[in-house]
């Protein structure tokens, strides 16, 4: 009965700063914190680092990995371990500092259905010298824009709409409407769409068809 009453639950134990190393490593670090002799504390800390490296033996001799292990040792000690470290001792304030927010690429949020690659292609096209090569690229971009537009939600789209969007996204550098260009017919793009069927998939060859029996 006493054994049941003395059971330890993880919710009642001290918090693990790095759970990946487990409770035993945390107890070793706590033991090192309680050693008064500095030389003995340094020796025990070196032994803990060695055991931490044994968990990933293929990385334990890499200098950067050694630096990581020492940082983790100080983290597990809540930055209270006073030992001689071969690397700068990290500070708790730096560790808890929030990183800067990532800036997500939003080149043209007004026409997101075209995708960022279209905008990159347009920016590249306007840097080319005018000629047949650039004209061919501009026409290919416009056709791809039309395909993207149809995939978005429309069954039909006027070429003039694509030309206006291309003119806007290129800051007036590409104007296919004035050249009297006509893009690929919308029907050609619609034919390339995969046909979705509501019929259930047919059984593969060799598979038995299981039919439900009626119960009377």
């Amino acid at each position: 009965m006493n054994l049941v009453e003395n059971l330890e639950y993880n919710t009642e134990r001290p918090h693990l700063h790095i759970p990946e190393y487990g409770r035993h490593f945390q107890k070793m670090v706590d033991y090192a914190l309680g050693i008064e002799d500095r030389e003995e504390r340094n020796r025990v800390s070196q032994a803990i680092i060695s055991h931490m490296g044994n968990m990933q033996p293929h990385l334990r001799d890499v200098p950067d990995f050694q630096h990581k292990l020492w940082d983790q040792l100080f983290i597990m000690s809540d930055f209270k371990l006073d030992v001689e470290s071969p690397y700068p001792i990290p500070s708790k304030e730096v560790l808890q500092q929030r990183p800067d927010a990532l800036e997500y690429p939003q080149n043209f949020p007004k026409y997101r259905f075209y995708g960022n690659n279209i905008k990159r292609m347009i920016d590249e096209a306007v840097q080319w010298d005018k000629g047949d090569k650039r004209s061919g690229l501009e026409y290919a971009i416009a056709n791809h824009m039309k395909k993207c537009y149809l995939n978005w939600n429309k069954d039909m789209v006027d070429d003039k709409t694509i030309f206006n969007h291309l003119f806007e996204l290129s800051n007036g550098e590409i104007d296919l409407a004035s050249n009297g260009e006509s893009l690929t017919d919308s029907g050609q793009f619609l034919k390339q769409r995969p046909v979705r069927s509501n019929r259930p998939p047919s059984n593969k060859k060799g598979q038995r068809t299981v039919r439900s029996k009626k119960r009377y």
Side-chain angles (χ1 to χ4, degrees):
M1 188 66 180
N2 293 333
L3 294 177
V4 176
E5 293 178 354
N6 294 330
L7 285 176
E8 287 185 325
Y9 295 93
N10 287 333
T11 54
E12 299 174 352
R13 292 175 175 177
H15 173 70
L16 290 177
H17 297 282
I18 304 181
E20 290 80 0
Y21 285 106
R23 181 70 57 182
H24 294 295
F25 271 96
Q26 186 63 52
K27 288 183 177 181
M28 287 191 290
V29 175
D30 296 338
Y31 171 77
L33 284 170
I35 299 176
E36 296 182 0
D37 184 56
R38 184 177 177 82
E39 293 184 2
E40 178 66 13
R41 191 163 59 246
N42 287 330
R43 187 184 68 80
V44 172
S45 299
Q46 290 284 353
I48 295 175
I49 291 292
S50 178
H51 284 296
M52 292 169 65
N54 287 336
M55 297 183 67
Q56 302 186 53
H58 61 290
L59 295 174
R60 62 183 177 184
D61 295 328
V62 178
D64 291 341
F65 185 65
Q66 286 288 318
H67 192 177
K68 179 180 179 180
L69 292 181
W70 278 97
D71 287 347
Q72 291 176 340
L73 176 63
F74 288 112
I75 292 173
M76 285 191 291
S77 68
D78 198 20
F79 302 94
K80 298 176 182 178
L81 187 61
D82 183 16
V83 293
E84 296 179 1
S85 172
Y87 305 98
I89 300 177
S91 63
K92 190 174 184 178
E93 291 74 16
V94 174
L95 179 66
Q96 296 179 344
Q97 185 178 2
R98 297 185 62 179
D100 297 333
L102 293 176
E103 295 183 1
Y104 290 92
Q106 295 289 344
N107 291 339
F108 53 105
K110 186 176 180 180
Y111 304 119
R112 294 182 179 180
F113 47 86
Y114 288 132
N116 287 329
N117 289 333
I118 286 291
K119 186 63 171 65
R120 296 189 185 100
M121 293 170 63
I122 294 173
D123 294 339
E124 182 67 22
V126 297
Q127 296 178 8
W128 288 15
D129 295 333
K130 292 186 178 181
D132 294 338
K133 188 175 181 180
R134 172 171 168 172
S135 298
L137 178 59
E138 293 173 351
Y139 184 79
I141 293 173
N143 264 320
H144 194 67
M145 290 174 63
K146 186 174 183 178
K147 183 178 181 180
C148 293
Y149 195 101
L150 290 171
N151 289 334
W152 174 45
N153 74 350
K154 298 294 183 180
D155 293 332
M156 298 293 291
V157 58
D158 187 11
D159 290 350
K160 184 178 180 181
T161 301
I162 302 298
F163 295 152
N164 291 338
H165 290 174
L166 181 58
F167 184 80
E168 182 180 352
L169 294 175
S170 65
N171 296 322
E173 295 291 333
I174 301 178
D175 185 11
L176 297 182
S178 61
N179 298 333
E181 297 281 356
S182 61
L183 302 177
T184 303
D185 185 74
S186 300
Q188 295 296 325
F189 292 126
L190 296 176
K191 289 180 181 179
Q192 298 174 6
R193 289 184 178 179
V195 179
R196 296 182 179 180
S197 176
N198 294 327
R199 298 176 58 187
S202 59
N203 294 325
K204 295 182 179 179
K205 187 177 182 180
Q207 291 183 346
R208 296 180 60 186
T209 302
V210 180
R211 296 182 179 179
S212 60
K213 296 181 179 180
K214 295 183 178 180
R215 296 183 179 181
Y216 298 94

